[in-house]
Amino acid sequence: MSVKTKALMLNLVVFAVLFVLFRVGIGMLMPLPYLPLLLGSAVLASFCSPKFLTKGEELWVKYPWKKTPKKC
């Protein structure tokens, strides 16, 4: 599997896990209608998820609370 494919898969998996966690957590704390719950969870997950990047044939990860990416 190429590095770009790994980065894409990792981005999708991390976003999905955070989305489900936020959706369940917010849904338990506040009873919101379906659409605002989904939109809020998606926004939070996109802001909080680390981004996996490729530079050449290397995989890097950029955390939202750090400025520079870190080599995996």
Side-chain angles (χ1 to χ4, degrees), residues 2-22:
S2 73
V3 178
K4 288 185 180 182
T5 307
K6 286 181 186 178
L8 175 67
M9 294 300 291
L10 286 170
N11 282 327
L12 289 173
V13 168
V14 170
F15 176 81
V17 168
L18 286 175
F19 174 77
V20 169
L21 288 174
F22 283 132

Side-chain angles (χ1 to χ4, degrees), residues 22-38:
F22 283 132
R23 185 173 171 257
V24 170
I26 293 171
M28 291 177 109
L29 293 175
M30 294 183 286
L32 289 174
Y34 186 70
L35 188 60
L37 179 62
L38 290 180

Side-chain angles (χ1 to χ4, degrees), residues 45-68:
S46 66
F47 283 140
C48 295
S49 65
K51 308 297 186 262
F52 292 91
L53 312 165
T54 58
K55 289 185 181 176
E57 289 299 316
E58 297 175 339
L59 189 63
W60 293 71
V61 63
K62 185 188 175 310
Y63 296 107
W65 55 87
K66 300 226 178 188
K67 273 193 162 186
T68 59

